[in-house]
Amino acid sequence: MMADPDPFPDALAADLTMAVGRLLRRLRAEANPSELNLSQMGALARLEQGGPMTTADLARAELMKPQSMGAILASLEQEGLIERQPHPTDRRQVYFVLTEAGAAVRTRHRAAKRDWLVRALAELDPDARRTLAAAIPIIQQVGET
């Protein structure tokens, strides 16, 4: 906790980074009923949000090498969570899309994260929840900068 009523940006940045990082790690730990790793969940989320994508598109979006993304996609395909579809204009390329099972994993993952966070927030006193609610627009503003 910071005692300084007007923290310097560098101290505030360090504290916020640590707090947000801890929250994200806890969300991931509490809300991964499928036991997929972070890279696999990231690929599923990209396909859910962006629709059909090539290996190269997914690799660029996730900031990784196409070979690494290819291994991730192979594992997801083996689990039946994604499938290949022909590219509509380039027969040399293949699109990857979520299967029903993949969409169900994403739905369960979102629900598990939300359920854990609701329980954690319910344990806070009402003043703490109001303070957190008041900080959300500020956090969004920082994130959009």
Side-chain angles (χ1 to χ4, degrees):
M1 270 329 231
M2 292 180 290
D4 186 355
D6 187 14
F8 292 104
D10 59 339
L12 183 57
D15 290 345
L16 185 58
T17 298
M18 191 180 304
V20 169
R22 197 172 287 145
L23 176 61
L24 289 174
R25 281 190 300 278
R26 185 66 190 265
L27 276 169
R28 286 183 196 125
E30 294 288 335
N32 193 357
S34 62
E35 299 302 323
L36 295 175
N37 68 40
L38 191 56
S39 297
Q40 291 170 315
M41 286 305 297
L44 290 179
R46 288 279 178 193
L47 290 171
E48 181 183 51
Q49 295 164 0
M53 298 176 87
T54 65
T55 302
D57 293 336
L58 281 161
R60 268 190 301 282
E62 292 294 308
L63 304 173
M64 62 175 52
K65 294 180 181 177
Q67 296 85 351
S68 299
M69 181 54 72
I72 291 165
L73 294 173
S75 69
L76 293 172
E77 187 175 27
Q78 186 175 4
E79 293 292 322
L81 303 177
I82 62 170
E83 64 186 10
R84 296 167 189 251
Q85 288 185 347
H87 192 283
T89 59
D90 185 348
R91 291 180 14 181
R92 297 169 295 169
Q93 293 191 46
V94 174
Y95 270 149
F96 288 91
V97 297
L98 282 182
T99 62
E100 276 188 40
V105 164
R106 289 290 304 145
T107 298
R108 284 193 307 273
H109 187 259
R110 270 193 314 281
K113 280 186 353 185
R114 184 186 179 286
D115 291 348
W116 175 81
L117 191 53
V118 166
R119 286 191 311 273
L121 294 173
E123 292 178 16
L124 298 175
D125 65 70
D127 286 338
R129 283 195 299 270
R130 281 190 283 278
T131 300
L132 186 56
I136 290 171
I138 299 166
I139 294 168
Q140 288 173 329
Q141 180 182 354
V142 170
E144 292 168 2
T145 309

